[in-house]
Amino acid sequence: MKKQMTALNWAALILGLLFLYIPIILVIFYSFNESKLVTVWSGFSTKWYSDLFQQDGIWSATKTSLLLAFSTSTFAVILGTMAAFALVKFRRFKGKTLFSGITYAPMVMPEIIMGSALGLTFVALKFSTGFFTMMIAHITFTMCYVVVVVQSRLTGFDRHIEEAAMDLGADGIRTFFYITLPMILPAIISGWLLSFTLSLDDLVIATFTTGPGGTTLPIWIYSKARLGVSPNINALSTIMIGIVASIVFLVTLINHYLSKRREEDEKNAHREIA
Amino acid sequence: MPHRQQGVGTFTGIMAEIASRLNFTHRRLLRFAPYRFLVSLGHSHRFLIGVPYLWLTLFFLIPFLIILRISFTEAEIASPPFSNLLAWIDDGLLQITVNFQNYMELWEDGIYIHAYLNSVKIAFFATLLTLIIGYPIALAMSRASKKWQLFLLMLVILPFWTSFLIRIYAWITILSPTGVLNNFINWVGMGIGLIDPNSPVTLQILHTDLAVYIGIVYGYLPFMILPLFATLIKIDDTLVEAALDLGSPPLKTFWTITFRLSLPGVLAGCFLVFIPAIGEFVIPDLLGGSNVTMIGKVLYDTYLQGMNLPLVSAISVILLLIVLIPIYIFNRIQAKQFN
């Protein structure tokens, strides 16, 4: 029997999605509002967008955020992939329980605990806080997401293919570049993107580990948002939502294309065998 | 084998090209000892395990030991701004000065106890609300057709990709006294003649507990829906059908079969919402204002003042202990299910 959607199911779905999307839609809507009063609609205008770009510190905050997210995700991918390999390849090693424990723990630890622990550590060790301390903190909390993504890909693929390549005379480096890397590359890319967005979005851990000159975009937005609603934050939010939505759309499109290609390749392969 | 020159084919081709070039340089470089050493590191188990292990030990495990240590010291005007726990005295004596003052202060000053209890209370009821709101959505998703499921999943995840801060900030626009919600209520009310245009209604929701509940439910709803959906989709429909055929009323069938079988998802979802909600500080700060105290906000404010870092450490240590209880329980239940 096919599962049936009842009227109640439909209602739950529609109300749920409305709840999720109304706030986002309102932000976009009011970013084009002429009035300074956020909730009074007085006509279409894009003046808050030009106003936004004249704000102090927004460019340097954006630059800091992008640079931080870029370097964080790159290092997190390297460390995370190593950890995932270690967890999948080596069944047993000394301290594996502790190792897997501390790889997953940052995911469930409330940000404020991790942030304060790391922030106080940097103070205790007399590290001068700033960009690099933020980067260390971000790598630590994003690498576990990379581990999860890469690990699931590694356990999913048939390791006999690697062995076959080795048997046919490929050395370690060749096997890695011809077989292993292309197979886990989608996981590495999504791990990278995940760390990038997590780092770009983080406010709590950044505020605890930042120092002079280390203002990220969330920190900048937060300092403005604390003072109440201002239309140029709506404009900034709309730009960010637009960028994220188009990236997600693009990634989905690429994934769709790749999986279609793979299906076709498999079909062709079957035909050739037959 | 025909070589595909587009899409995946091009990609594999590029990778092959890179590989052969790298292989060439690799062979030439192998003559040099330092490079040989690096390569051997790449193959060695110790290196692969060691580097991430060392990183996580240094920047995840040790910080907890350090805040535990700082929490037993006394605030000082120095760098670092707290007293020494251990001191070597000239005669080779190690002097340990453990200061319980910070913990005493947490215990004696009502603000902290209240903030801890309030955080647990708010996190608990917010989790319950998220479950009540998220369950019907996840259930509806699991009953949709395969094609729709993928699309709905995307729709639920998409807000999660937009900045958490911005999504919470959006609620200020909605909930403030002159906000969208009040405007809407007045507009509808005046339209049907229930509200007198001369005395519009102003609901004060922003800066109350209710606003914080709304914020948490909104912010963490995807964390509840996703695990629920994952378990609901695996439930065998024939069980539900059989119960219905045998005359069990729909509500009872739902409760005894569907809900019972989805308990692992319920547990996972509640865990994923409850844990971060306890330590939340953006939501109570932006939506709760000064009227709502949660421990995350107290911790952050104490940290910002920068005067009493030992007290900040003590607050964190106790918060960590509180958070470890649900983590421990969750792990136990999961281990039991696995066996």
Side-chain angles (χ1 to χ4, degrees), chain A residues 49-147:
Chain A
Y49 287 85
S50 47
D51 181 64
L52 175 70
F53 297 122
Q54 280 144 25
Q55 294 284 318
D56 275 344
I58 185 169
W59 288 117
S60 73
T62 308
K63 238 169 40 194
T64 310
S65 260
L66 286 175
L67 196 65
L68 178 67
F70 193 86
S71 34
T72 293
S73 45
T74 306
F75 280 105
V77 156
I78 295 170
L79 283 170
T81 308
M82 286 171 87
F85 264 93
L87 283 169
V88 175
K89 245 186 174 171
F90 316 127
R91 300 256 147 159
R92 260 163 222 281
F93 56 85
K94 242 188 192 169
K96 182 165 180 177
T97 328
L98 180 68
F99 181 65
S100 61
I102 54 176
T103 21
Y104 300 126
M107 270 198 290
V108 291
M109 207 40 67
E111 286 178 312
I112 195 129
I113 297 181
M114 256 195 88
S116 62
L118 267 166
L120 289 165
T121 301
F122 292 139
V123 172
L125 300 178
K126 293 181 194 165
F127 273 34
S128 59
T129 50
F131 186 82
F132 281 100
T133 47
M134 273 199 287
M135 198 172 99
I136 289 172
H138 277 195
I139 292 169
T140 310
F141 96 93
T142 57
M143 70 178 271
C144 52
Y145 293 90
V146 179
V147 174

Side-chain angles (χ1 to χ4, degrees), chain A residues 167-207:
Chain A
D167 283 348
L168 290 169
D171 54 17
I173 292 237
R174 278 195 190 205
T175 312
F176 183 75
F177 278 101
Y178 276 95
I179 312 286
T180 319
L181 192 61
M183 277 184 138
I184 63 166
L185 201 68
I188 288 181
I189 292 172
S190 38
W192 193 91
L193 283 172
L194 196 58
S195 335
F196 191 85
T197 38
L198 283 168
S199 165
L200 207 60
D201 194 27
D202 169 66
L203 168 73
V204 181
I205 290 174
T207 40

